Amino acid sequence: MTLPFDIEFGRPEALYLLALVPLLALAWWSYRRWQRRRIAGLGDAALIARMMPGRSPHRAATRFFLGLLAFALGILALANPRRPAAGDPELRTGIDQVFALDVSNSMLASDVAPNRLQAAKDLLKSLIRQRRNDRVALVVFAGHAYAQLPLTYDHSAAELFIDAANPGQLPAQGTAVGEALDQCRELFGIENTGRYRTVLLLTDGETHDDKALESAKALTDRGVLINTVGIGSPGGTTLIDPKTKTLKKDESGNTVVSRLNQELLQNIASVGKGQYLLLSDRAAAQSALLAAVANVKSAPLVDKANLSYDPFYHWLLLPMLVLLVLQGLLPERKKVAA
């Protein structure tokens, strides 16, 4: 959240607490109204005033509103108003890329050396190192999809998350491509930053996910291009059960063969106005993907990761403390002459 003079809030979510201010004021007004009615029900107003000479509704109101104003200033201080320090922020003119990485058990098949998952990881890390000005994000999926990393310029963190991706991260097995694409759409958000946006889906596509094309269309409608990379072989290969270390078999005792579903990935790329690539040669796939975005024009975006800020919260804490001191010094009851 940005204010005039380049002032912004470091923790804008704290501003939601300001909703308590009118609620507290309403609660106090309701209490005072109830109190006035109780006192009025005791008898003659002039007689009651003489019986309680020290009572001062105006002082009580002043004390309350001093405290309420101090509370509001404290919330604003908690939201951390700040301004970028002197110096030119770094502008990056890259694109926004979300990587959707399949980490299902079938990605451990070795028809792509050393295995499908590692080949996909190596490709992603190579792409990141070639595109230093891009913001990148990561979604991992198997039976369900999860956003592992939001859009960031921190490529070192992105590589760490990619290296850590494995089938053990997700309890449910499967290949939820549609859900993964939905997660990609949420990571981009609804804000139009003027940046060129693309999704790179890396999977063996071993699924019958009817939602996948629908989710791809929803991304395309937001101007997001989808490229797909097929990892595996159409003829398929057997899988090793990670628990028994033997060939994996289905419920009928037949040996499981994991095959690349090229048709699904080609259809997704077609709907997403991108291209489908078979990861048989990492260098060739990398060159094709880099060429596809080499001349793309994208709006520059400030990289805030390395910005330093001048905080202004102390300018709110000082008047807050003054108000609290005044509240403490102001007695609720007025002095009565002896």
Side-chain angles (χ1 to χ4, degrees):
M1 182 175 182
T2 304
L3 298 176
F5 311 110
D6 294 327
I7 294 178
E8 63 181 47
F9 289 110
R11 289 187 292 269
E13 62 276 6
L15 296 175
Y16 289 116
L17 293 173
L18 288 174
L20 294 174
V21 173
L23 292 177
L24 290 172
L26 179 62
W28 181 86
W29 176 80
S30 300
Y31 168 73
R32 297 297 291 182
R33 187 180 181 189
W34 170 82
Q35 191 179 51
R36 285 195 298 270
R37 287 180 177 178
R38 289 292 303 270
I39 292 174
L42 295 176
D44 182 69
L47 177 62
I48 293 172
R50 288 195 296 272
M51 292 175 61
M52 297 185 294
R55 181 174 177 272
S56 175
H58 295 297
R59 290 195 180 201
T62 301
R63 280 174 52 86
F64 172 77
F65 284 106
L66 285 174
L68 189 63
L69 183 55
F71 177 71
L73 290 174
I75 292 174
L76 292 175
L78 181 63
N80 190 22
R82 61 187 187 178
R83 183 172 59 192
D88 295 328
E90 184 177 2
L91 289 176
R92 296 185 182 241
T93 54
I95 66 175
D96 289 346
Q97 295 199 70
V98 178
F99 304 129
L101 178 61
D102 184 351
V103 294
S104 59
N105 283 331
S106 63
M107 290 291 287
L108 297 179
S110 56
D111 50 354
V112 178
N115 60 56
R116 296 175 182 176
L117 181 57
Q118 190 58 52
K121 290 181 179 182
D122 291 341
L123 174 61
L124 286 182
K125 290 189 290 184
S126 295
L127 290 172
I128 288 174
R129 291 165 188 168
Q130 293 294 320
R131 302 276 309 178
R132 302 308 299 177
N133 287 324
D134 291 352
R135 287 198 305 174
V136 297
L138 178 66
V139 170
V140 296
F141 66 97
H144 293 290
Y146 299 92
Q148 289 292 95
L149 183 72
L151 284 166
T152 180
Y153 286 116
D154 191 343
H155 290 182
S156 296
E159 289 197 32
L160 287 174
F161 275 97
I162 290 169
D163 280 331
N166 67 85
Q169 284 181 290
L170 306 178
Q173 284 302 306
T175 313
V177 174
E179 190 174 330
L181 295 176
D182 289 340
Q183 286 291 319
C184 293
R185 188 175 73 250
E186 290 189 18
L187 283 175
F188 284 122
I190 60 175
E191 181 183 4
N192 183 8
T193 61
R195 305 269 289 180
Y196 186 85
R197 299 179 296 176
T198 179
V199 166
L200 181 58
L201 173 67
L202 303 100
T203 177
D204 54 23
E206 195 174 42
T207 181
H208 301 287
D209 189 348
D210 296 330
K211 184 184 177 185
L213 295 181
E214 179 185 336
S215 298
K217 179 65 166 56
L219 270 168
T220 307
D221 289 344
R222 290 197 183 181
V224 179
L225 180 140
I226 306 172
N227 292 314
T228 61
V229 176
I231 307 175
S233 56
T237 186
T238 56
L239 297 174
I240 300 298
D241 191 313
K243 294 181 179 179
T244 64
K245 307 300 180 184
T246 58
L247 290 178
K248 189 173 182 179
K249 298 182 182 295
D250 60 20
E251 294 179 353
S252 302
N254 300 315
T255 300
V256 173
V257 177
S258 175
R259 295 181 176 85
L260 170 64
N261 186 350
Q262 291 194 99
E263 182 180 359
L264 173 66
L265 298 180
Q266 289 168 344
N267 289 337
I268 292 174
S270 177
V271 171
K273 300 180 180 179
Q275 59 181 320
Y276 164 73
L277 297 168
L278 175 63
L279 188 60
S280 55
D281 183 336
R282 195 185 84 190
Q286 177 180 318
S287 296
L289 291 170
L290 290 174
V293 296
N295 299 315
V296 167
K297 293 183 179 180
S298 192
L301 194 67
V302 174
D303 180 3
K304 295 187 177 182
N306 297 316
L307 281 182
S308 59
Y309 292 89
D310 294 327
F312 289 92
Y313 66 88
H314 51 279
W315 293 107
L316 296 168
L317 291 178
L318 182 60
M320 181 191 78
L321 292 174
V322 170
L323 289 172
L324 291 175
V325 169
L326 289 176
Q327 183 193 44
L329 293 176
L330 179 66
E332 188 169 346
R333 299 176 63 84
K334 60 186 177 182
K335 292 184 179 180
V336 180

